[in-house]
């Protein structure tokens, strides 16, 4: 394993008096699926926004593919190959599914025929072909999540950030979602997945980073994580105590 | 130019600014509550002025004494507008914002047309009022009494609005603004809160209308300019901020008066525009805006 | 597979283009069915507003930036071509493009500060800038201040785009204008920029995450929209033969430019034309029929119509024609 695809060091971010992220560091190897776990409010989405360039960190460094990217902005991050989805789905509701995905495809394509071809591929890959010409606002919630993934994939990312894509899905839908994640990785795309329900992620991920109250609690293989007393405390505290 | 003259103009500007602020308060209340910019706001000011004129003609009741009556009438008008028009737009799924803008814009054109039809487009005014023609003098500064009283009434309106926000209803307003769906769960009737919010916002502009009727001409399109200033006031103060409306109203009144004095009365609005644009470049959400 | 993907979207765009050609032919033939000079004038005005509103729609509808200051670009177009003609003798045929270029540049300049604002703050800032320009123009002696400029008439001439007695040439001038702006919008709909602009309108954060630069997108949309509006302003000046700040820069004109697109269907190809076809005749005819007899009724009719249309057709008049399409689309889900 050579240089990691993504390496973050000492990332801190506060919103007013809320310290969303405190001195967070970890690395992600190319081709890996990393789980970013932690109870609600742990700072997962905030960290995603920082990696994707949507917000700038107060302190810290982010190296992506050998380049320093902290604070360069979401557009530049997308160009460099970071794709993402949002915890609260953001579809382009005045457009059809195909048109939504074409927006992503246009990042690498100048001509609309090329963008359309690329969009068609990812729509098929994400299992949305039957919904291709339907307005995005008429999709069901799980379909909207797929749409976001398709849109991000259309930009040909090297790293894909998925924020709670399995949350709120039925077990069958979640199974289908996990299959999709594996298929994406099989294409050589590195993935970081956020999920606050730990169980669903464990069979899927290679490694996990656990956040709690803005700090990194620990990092390791899924099997180690579940046994760790601090994780158990953080989770039980979250679920039964609060 | 004497210091007394400058002070007099500045004070006059601040008092007018208070009237602007009350017009803006009604606008920002409705906006803060439900994100709707009411483009009929100026027309409602005009309606209040004509109502004052008609009541004065019919009964001889002095405008100042009509305050509660016209405020009540405008409150009812506001609730009716909400029930009849705005509530319908809430069901609209697409373009809701645009639909609200153009419904209220259409209402505005309709009201102006109705006033023109009923009263003609000539300027009218109310004579022989309690305050009319009198002045207020202090240390060589002379101000028209209607303007001074308007300023005082405006401050009282702001006081009332501040007190309102402390009441049970004020908290319901606040909660409804924060989350429309959630309040239904705790038993707040959204339509009732929105309706009363519209009523209060419209009553505020009604009070401004009564006070203006004391010293300003009355015509079908008199509201246009006040509404325009109100939009600028609200944006300058920050959409949804009542305190912002007050401060911005004062700034605008003062700027207008001083531009007219020092530069050119024909360009008095340019002063407002320049201040507005300058502030917005530094604070894109106005002075006290959260939204 | 690729062929199937291309299917619907490409077919839809081709259908729009054919429909555009059919409508163009029908509108070109229209004067032969309408003998009445007043009605012909009404149609000319409707076509002008169809073009202007489509120009506004490029920024307001496709890119989602609701400008209430488009009269500024209209006025710049009108004044530029008129001044070039009256002072330097340059034909309005060239002047309208100079006016359009200058108006586009002005829209770009206005956008530089204003696109740092969003939503209502943006709308009100454009309104303020527009009003400021109107006030300054009314006090600017170089352009004859509030008195305005009369365009001297040296006989009917295509070279000077001057016709006083015949309305027919202006029918084709305005039709060409409306068709040109429509075609620009059609091109934008299918282009990379058009997709980016619509993404900016729908969700800024999602657009950014896909590599869409928000600020440059808005500036580009504003420049094209402003230029298209400016050309319309120049044509209006030639049609009326007289311009002043009141008729070319007023706030009410900004609203008049935006209204057809909103009533017809914001962000759609056919909305501006449909909206203009309803609003302009209703407004003009109600003034003509009702205005003089009983002042105010014309405004009441107009206001009531706007309210009724906004409530009954929130998606715009185009939605009358989309019933089948949208039923089919939602039928699956
Ligand atoms: N853009 C933001 N503005 C203000 N506060 C934020 C923002 N993003 C996150 N926060 C705050 O940071 C903390 C962590 O939130 P978040 O990253 O969303 O947690 P998670 O995704 O792990 O549930 C929360 O207290 C949240 O309120
Ligand atoms: Mg989150």
């Amino acid at each position: 394993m050579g240089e990691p695809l993504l390496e973050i060091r000492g990332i801190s971010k506060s919103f007013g008096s809320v310290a969303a992220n405190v001195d967070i560091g970890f690395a992600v190897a190319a081709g890996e699926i990393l789980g970013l776990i932690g109870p609600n409010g742990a700072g997962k989405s905030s960290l995603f926004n920082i990696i994707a360039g949507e917000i700038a960190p107060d302190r810290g460094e982010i190296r992506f593919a050998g380049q320093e990217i902290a604070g360069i902005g979401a557009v530049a991050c997308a160009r460099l190959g970071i794709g993402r989805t949002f915890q609260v789905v953001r579809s382009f509701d005045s457009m059809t599914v195909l048109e939504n995905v074409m927006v992503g495809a246009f990042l690498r394509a100048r001509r609309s025929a090329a963008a359309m071809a690329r969009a068609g591929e990812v729509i098929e890959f994400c299992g949305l072909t039957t919904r291709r010409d339907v307005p995005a606002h008429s999709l069901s919630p799980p379909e909207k999540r797929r749409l976001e993934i398709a849109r991000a994939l259309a930009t040909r990312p090297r790293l894909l950030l998925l924020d709670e894509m399995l949350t709120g899905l039925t077990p069958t839908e979640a199974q289908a979602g996990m299959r999709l994640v594996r298929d994406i990785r099989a294409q050589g795309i590195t993935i970081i997945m956020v999920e606050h329900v730990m169980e669903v992620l464990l069979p899927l991920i290679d490694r996990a980073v656990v956040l709690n109250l803005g700090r990194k609690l620990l990092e390791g293989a899924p099997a180690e994580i579940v046994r760790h007393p601090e994780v158990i405390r953080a989770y039980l505290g979250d679920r039964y105590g609060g | 130019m004497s210091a007394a003259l400058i002070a007099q103009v500045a004070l006059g500007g601040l008092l007018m600014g208070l009237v602007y602020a009350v017009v803006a308060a009604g606008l920002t209340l409705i906006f803060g509550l439900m994100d709707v910019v009411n483009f009929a706001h100026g027309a409602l000011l005009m309606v209040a002025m004509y109502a004052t004129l008609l009541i004065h003609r019919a009964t001889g009741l002095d405008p100042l004494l009509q305050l509660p009556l016209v405020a009540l009438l405008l409150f009812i008008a506001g609730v009716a507008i909400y029930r009849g028009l705005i509530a319908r737009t809430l069901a609209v799924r697409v373009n809701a914002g645009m639909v609200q803008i153009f419904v209220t814009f259409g209402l505005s054109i309709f009201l102006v047309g109705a006033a023109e039809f009923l009263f003609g487009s000539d300027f009218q005014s109310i004579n022989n009022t309690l305050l009319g023609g009198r002045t207020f003098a202090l240390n060589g500064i002379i101000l028209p009494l209607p303007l001074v009283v308007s300023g005082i009434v405006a401050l009282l309106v702001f006081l009332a609005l501040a007190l309102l926000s402390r009441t049970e209803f004020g908290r319901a307003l606040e909660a409804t603004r924060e989350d429309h769906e959630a309040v239904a769960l705790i038993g707040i009737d959204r339509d009732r809160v929105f309706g009363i919010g519209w009523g209060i916002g419209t009553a505020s502009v009604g009070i401004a209308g009564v006070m203006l009727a004391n010293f300003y001409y009355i015509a079908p399109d008199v509201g246009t300019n006040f509404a325009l200033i109100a939009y600028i006031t609200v944006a300058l103060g920050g959409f949804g901020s009542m305190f912002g409306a007050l401060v911005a109203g004062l700034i605008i009144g003062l700027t207008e008066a001083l531009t007219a004095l020092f530069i050119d009365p024909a360009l008095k609005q340019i002063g407002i525009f320049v201040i507005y644009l300058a502030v917005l470049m530094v604070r894109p959400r106005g002075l006290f805006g959260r939204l | 597979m690729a062929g199937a993907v291309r299917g619907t979207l490409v077919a839809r765009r081709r259908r729009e283009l054919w429909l555009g050609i059919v409508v163009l032919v029908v509108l070109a033939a229209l004067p032969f069915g309408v003998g009445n000079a007043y009605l012909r004038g009404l149609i000319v005005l409707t076509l002008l507003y169809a073009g202007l509103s489509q120009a506004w729609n490029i920024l307001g509808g496709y890119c989602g930036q609701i400008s209430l200051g488009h009269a500024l670009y209209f006025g710049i177009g009108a004044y530029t071509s008129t001044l070039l003609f009256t002072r330097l003798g340059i034909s309005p045929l060239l002047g309208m493009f100079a006016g359009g270029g200058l108006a586009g540049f002005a829209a770009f300049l206005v956008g530089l500060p204003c696109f740092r604002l969003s939503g209502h703050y943006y709308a009100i800032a454009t309104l303020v800038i527009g009003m400021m320009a109107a006030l300054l123009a009314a006090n600017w002696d170089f352009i004859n201040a509030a008195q305005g400029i009369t365009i001297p008439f040296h006989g009917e001439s295509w070279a000077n785009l001057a016709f006083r007695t015949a309305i027919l040439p202006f029918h084709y001038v305005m039709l060409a204008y409306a068709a040109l702006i429509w075609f620009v919008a059609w091109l934008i709909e299918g282009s990379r920029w058009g997709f980016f602009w619509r993404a900016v309108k729908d969700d800024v954060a999602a657009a950014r995450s896909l590599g869409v630069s928000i600020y440059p997108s808005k500036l580009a949309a504003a420049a094209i929209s402003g230029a298209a509006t400016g050309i319309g302003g120049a044509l209006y000046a030639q049609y009326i033969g007289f311009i002043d700040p009141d008729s070319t820069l007023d706030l009410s004109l900004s609203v008049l430019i935006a209204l057809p697109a909103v009533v017809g269907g914001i962000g759609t190809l056919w909305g501006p034309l449909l909206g203009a076809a309803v609003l302009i005749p209703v407004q003009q005819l109600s003034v003509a029929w009702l205005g003089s007899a009983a002042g105010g009724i014309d405004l009441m009719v107009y206001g009531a119509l706007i309210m009724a249309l906004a409530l009954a057709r929130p998606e715009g008049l185009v939605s009358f024609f989309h019933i089948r399409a949208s039923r089919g689309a939602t039928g699956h889900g």
Side-chain angles (χ1 to χ4, degrees):
Chain A
M1 195 169 90
E3 195 190 342
L5 180 66
L6 178 80
E7 187 174 9
I8 70 179
R9 246 182 272 131
I11 290 290
S12 297
K13 175 77 195 176
S14 297
F15 297 99
S17 60
V18 180
N21 298 116
V22 181
D23 197 24
I24 293 185
F26 58 81
V28 188
E32 202 177 14
I33 300 181
L34 179 87
L36 192 58
I37 349 188
N40 262 326
K44 308 178 299 288
S45 296
S46 165
L47 189 60
F48 257 30
N49 282 328
I50 291 170
I51 297 172
E54 181 65 23
I55 56 184
D58 297 338
R59 265 184 313 282
E61 292 155 30
I62 308 174
R63 282 188 82 74
F64 175 72
Q67 201 170 337
E68 180 58 40
I69 62 163
I72 63 169
V75 173
C77 284
R79 289 205 179 117
L80 286 175
I82 300 180
R84 70 165 304 180
T85 67
F86 295 85
Q87 182 174 347
V88 179
V89 177
R90 295 171 170 274
S91 44
F92 302 130
D93 281 345
S94 74
M95 304 189 212
T96 65
V97 167
L98 175 64
E99 289 167 340
N100 263 266
V101 180
M102 280 176 72
V103 174
F106 269 119
L107 179 62
R108 313 279 177 214
R110 296 261 136 204
R111 308 193 51 85
S112 82
M116 210 179 292
R118 170 69 186 155
E121 279 167 33
V122 258
I123 286 173
E124 162 121 71
F125 179 78
C126 293
L128 285 169
T129 305
T130 59
R131 313 294 277 150
R132 199 184 59 208
D133 297 310
V134 157
H137 65 77
S138 65
L139 295 182
S140 68
E143 286 173 337
K144 281 197 178 178
R145 296 217 175 267
R146 282 176 179 262
L147 171 61
E148 276 207 337
I149 295 173
R151 214 168 52 180
L153 285 177
T155 66
R156 300 187 186 278
R158 300 175 64 185
L159 172 68
L160 184 61
L161 310 174
L162 302 173
D163 198 346
E164 307 217 359
M165 67 162 286
L166 302 175
T167 303
L169 301 190
T170 65
T172 334
E173 288 162 355
Q175 285 303 323
M178 289 163 72
R179 231 174 298 129
L180 179 60
V181 172
R182 289 204 181 92
D183 289 346
I184 294 171
R185 193 253 292 268
Q187 297 202 334
I189 295 170
T190 309
I191 295 169
I192 307 182
M193 288 183 81
V194 157
E195 212 68 45
H196 74 275
V197 185
M198 196 162 45
E199 290 82 352
V200 293
L201 264 195
L202 294 176
L204 196 59
I205 57 181
D206 302 316
R207 224 153 43 83
V209 169
V210 184
L211 298 186
N212 191 28
L213 299 173
R215 291 172 188 276
K216 186 172 97 174
L217 208 55
L218 74 155
E219 179 178 349
E224 301 165 30
I225 297 284
V226 282
R227 284 197 308 269
H228 202 282
E230 281 206 68
V231 175
I232 294 169
R233 196 175 326 126
Y235 264 87
L236 294 184
D238 177 49
R239 222 174 295 165
Y240 304 109
Chain B
M1 211 176 293
S2 74
L5 175 65
I6 296 174
Q8 178 172 313
V9 168
L11 267 176
L14 287 171
L15 288 169
M16 199 61 195
L18 284 170
V19 177
Y20 293 153
V22 171
V23 181
L27 199 62
T28 208
L29 182 99
I30 292 168
F31 178 85
L33 183 60
M34 50 189 301
D35 263 20
V36 173
V37 176
N38 175 16
F39 275 86
H41 207 63
L44 289 165
L45 181 83
M46 176 273 294
V47 167
M49 291 174 82
Y50 272 107
T52 312
L53 176 74
L54 289 185
I55 295 172
H56 179 71
R57 281 204 189 139
T59 66
L61 194 63
D62 191 83
L64 197 57
L65 304 175
Q66 289 185 34
L67 263 180
L69 182 61
V70 176
L72 180 68
L73 282 176
L74 267 282
F75 179 89
I76 294 169
V79 175
I81 291 170
Y82 175 76
R83 292 268 147 138
L85 295 174
I86 308 302
R88 284 163 210 261
T89 67
L90 296 182
V92 171
R93 306 217 127 228
V94 278
N95 270 346
M98 278 319 253
V99 173
Q100 285 155 358
I101 286 179
F102 282 93
V103 165
T104 55
F105 180 71
L107 176 65
S108 167
I109 293 180
F110 180 85
L111 290 174
V112 171
E116 207 174 291
F117 175 63
L118 293 171
F119 311 115
S121 38
D122 296 338
F123 287 16
Q124 312 196 37
S125 58
I126 304 179
N127 303 316
N128 313 320
T129 61
L130 281 178
L131 304 172
R134 301 184 185 210
T135 54
F136 171 88
L138 183 80
N139 290 346
I141 296 172
I142 303 165
L143 293 164
L145 193 58
L147 190 57
V148 175
V149 176
S150 296
I152 295 169
V153 170
L155 285 173
L156 291 176
V157 170
F158 272 95
L159 191 67
L161 288 172
L163 290 177
L164 176 82
S165 66
R166 308 243 162 112
T167 63
E168 181 115 359
F169 177 74
R171 281 193 291 276
L173 268 183
E174 184 70 17
T176 310
R177 172 242 275 332
E178 304 270 307
D179 193 335
H180 299 176
E181 271 92 52
V183 291
L185 300 175
I186 54 172
I188 296 177
D189 176 359
R190 184 192 69 174
D191 274 339
R192 210 178 104 80
V193 173
F194 280 176
I196 295 177
W198 268 82
I200 296 173
T202 311
S204 312
V205 83
I207 292 173
V210 176
M211 295 320 294
L212 281 171
N214 271 297
F215 62 96
Y216 213 81
Y217 72 87
I218 302 170
D221 64 355
V222 65
T224 314
N225 195 41
F226 283 97
L228 192 75
I229 292 181
Y231 300 129
I232 297 172
T233 308
V234 169
L236 179 60
F239 272 94
S241 164
M242 202 58 78
F243 182 65
L246 178 58
V247 174
L250 289 170
I251 293 176
I252 283 175
L254 187 64
T255 308
E256 187 182 47
L258 294 182
T259 315
L261 179 66
F262 288 113
I263 300 173
D264 183 348
L267 296 179
K268 65 181 183 182
Q269 291 194 323
I270 295 281
I272 302 179
F273 296 160
V274 169
I275 293 270
Y276 166 81
L277 291 173
V279 170
L280 266 272
M281 286 314 109
V282 185
R283 295 186 65 88
R285 276 144 204 268
L287 293 169
F288 302 98
R290 293 180 290 169
L291 301 152
Chain C
M1 189 59 237
V5 174
R6 294 178 53 100
T8 39
L9 188 57
V10 171
R12 195 179 76 208
R13 284 183 51 67
R14 200 166 291 157
R15 215 162 44 231
E16 299 280 19
L17 195 57
W18 275 112
L19 186 59
I21 291 168
V22 170
V23 170
L24 182 65
V25 170
V26 170
L27 289 175
L30 198 57
F32 300 105
V34 180
N36 183 313
Y38 178 78
L39 286 184
R40 282 186 175 184
L42 197 58
I43 295 170
V44 170
L45 208 58
T46 303
L47 289 172
L48 171 64
Y49 273 96
L52 289 170
S53 204
Q54 185 67 274
W56 179 90
N57 193 38
I58 288 172
L59 178 62
Y62 289 109
C63 198
Q65 306 304 303
I66 305 302
S67 157
L68 293 177
H70 259 52
L72 174 59
Y73 316 129
F74 181 94
I76 289 177
Y79 270 97
T80 305
S81 92
T82 300
L83 289 171
L84 285 177
F85 182 60
T86 55
R87 305 267 165 94
L88 303 176
I90 295 172
S91 163
L93 279 179
L94 295 175
M96 68 182 186
F97 293 108
L102 209 56
F105 185 60
F108 174 83
L109 290 182
V110 167
L112 286 177
C114 289
F115 286 135
R116 297 176 47 208
L117 312 173
S118 52
H120 301 298
Y121 291 101
Y122 169 76
I124 291 180
T126 57
L127 179 153
V128 162
I129 291 177
M131 294 204 45
M132 210 155 105
L135 255 175
L136 292 175
N139 289 283
W140 189 16
D141 291 330
F142 177 73
I143 61 166
N144 264 15
Q147 280 143 348
I149 306 171
T150 303
I151 300 174
F153 184 64
H154 312 296
E156 314 257 315
S157 137
W158 276 99
N160 286 336
L161 214 57
F163 311 95
R164 276 292 177 275
T165 49
I167 286 182
L168 206 56
F170 274 118
H171 179 89
Y172 292 104
V173 169
M174 297 307 185
L175 180 58
Y177 171 64
L180 173 72
I181 311 302
W182 184 93
F183 186 64
V184 169
W186 183 86
L187 286 178
I188 288 170
E189 267 199 1
S191 75
R192 191 169 186 251
W193 275 9
F195 276 81
F196 285 177
W197 295 353
R198 285 154 74 197
V200 168
K201 171 176 81 169
D202 279 357
D203 194 313
V204 173
R208 267 199 296 265
S209 81
L210 301 172
V212 178
S213 312
I214 310 300
Y215 193 60
S217 294
K218 291 178 181 176
L219 285 173
I224 292 177
S225 172
T229 308
I231 295 175
L235 296 177
Y236 167 88
Q238 288 307 117
Y239 179 51
I240 302 294
F242 170 76
I243 56 170
D244 66 356
D246 244 13
S247 61
T248 62
L249 287 160
D250 196 65
L251 168 64
S252 61
L253 179 63
S254 294
V255 176
L256 231 48
I257 290 174
L259 210 49
V262 176
V263 167
I266 189 167
T268 65
L269 271 178
W270 293 104
L273 177 63
L274 280 173
V278 171
L279 288 177
I280 302 299
V282 167
Q283 188 213 15
Q284 297 285 319
L285 291 175
S286 61
V287 171
W289 289 341
L290 306 166
S292 50
I297 291 196
D298 55 327
L299 291 178
M300 292 170 73
V301 169
Y302 192 53
L305 178 79
I306 292 171
M307 278 190 279
L309 287 178
L311 284 173
R313 285 283 147 189
E315 287 163 271
L317 296 170
V318 282
S319 62
F320 276 119
F321 300 88
H322 286 169
I323 296 166
R324 258 176 305 133
S326 63
R327 285 239 179 91
T330 46
H332 296 285

